[in-house]
Amino acid sequence: MAATVKLLVWEVDNTLWDGVVSDSTEGALRPDAVRALRTLGERGVMHAVASRGEWDWTVANLRRHGLREHFAVVEVGWGRKSAAIARMAQTLGVGLDQVGYIDSEPLERSEVAHALPQVRAYAARHVDVLTALQEFRAPVGDVPPPTSPMGFQHIHAR
């Protein structure tokens, strides 16, 4: 059985809100993303930010929306997302097999998946179903997880 996700790392631009803070195109919060952030936090999932851009602008935006306190770690810069995720997992004492990463950019998800194959990568367009996925629910007993609500079982390539 796959490990439960204990840490979800967010790219905030075009995932938590529309647009990009550093380009001054940041727009409205995405309600489904905020709902997932709060629901998963209530279940004990920790959240972190690994984003491209300027740290001051991104943190100011998180504060403006009242969301900064939801994130245990915020790392914003221009380095590889996989390196940031590995640092965050180590800092928070979470195994890489217990980390999820959500981003709107396929190239970023691919970089993370290639460098850290244990980390589960999710497309931002699926943020509305995260709370229904088995890996975001604590395992109960020895009962195997049900089939995903998306209609397929989770099979990890080895």
Side-chain angles (χ1 to χ4, degrees):
M1 174 170 20
T4 301
V5 173
K6 292 184 178 179
L7 172 63
L8 182 60
V9 180
W10 294 73
E11 163 57 75
V12 290
D13 293 332
N14 291 313
T15 301
L16 187 56
W17 51 64
D18 291 319
V20 178
V21 171
S22 293
D23 294 344
S24 299
T25 61
E26 181 268 331
L29 286 174
R30 293 184 171 180
D32 287 345
V34 174
R35 191 170 21 263
L37 176 77
R38 290 186 173 139
T39 299
L40 294 175
E42 290 168 3
R43 292 181 189 170
V45 175
M46 290 184 287
H47 298 284
V49 171
S51 189
R52 297 230 186 274
E54 299 297 327
W55 193 88
D56 291 339
W57 297 352
T58 301
V59 171
N61 210 38
L62 288 169
R63 284 191 178 116
R64 184 169 62 87
H65 290 299
L67 298 174
R68 173 59 185 97
E69 67 275 1
H70 291 279
F71 297 97
V73 179
V74 175
E75 192 167 321
V76 181
W78 302 102
R80 290 184 2 230
K81 301 274 182 81
S82 59
I85 291 168
R87 281 190 299 274
M88 290 176 190
Q90 184 175 16
T91 297
L92 296 171
V94 176
L96 289 174
D97 65 331
Q98 298 172 315
V99 176
Y101 171 64
I102 185 163
D103 195 321
S104 65
E105 293 295 325
L107 186 61
E108 297 289 357
R109 294 192 310 270
S110 178
E111 185 273 324
V112 169
H114 178 73
L116 304 171
Q118 315 91 312
V119 172
R120 287 167 258 197
Y122 304 95
R125 70 182 178 275
H126 298 305
V127 71
D128 60 328
V129 299
L130 286 183
T131 60
L133 297 178
Q134 184 63 32
E135 59 259 34
F136 288 101
R137 298 179 178 275
V140 179
D142 295 329
V143 178
T147 300
S148 164
M150 296 172 77
F152 56 88
Q153 290 185 346
H154 295 280
I155 302 171
H156 297 280
R158 302 230 183 242

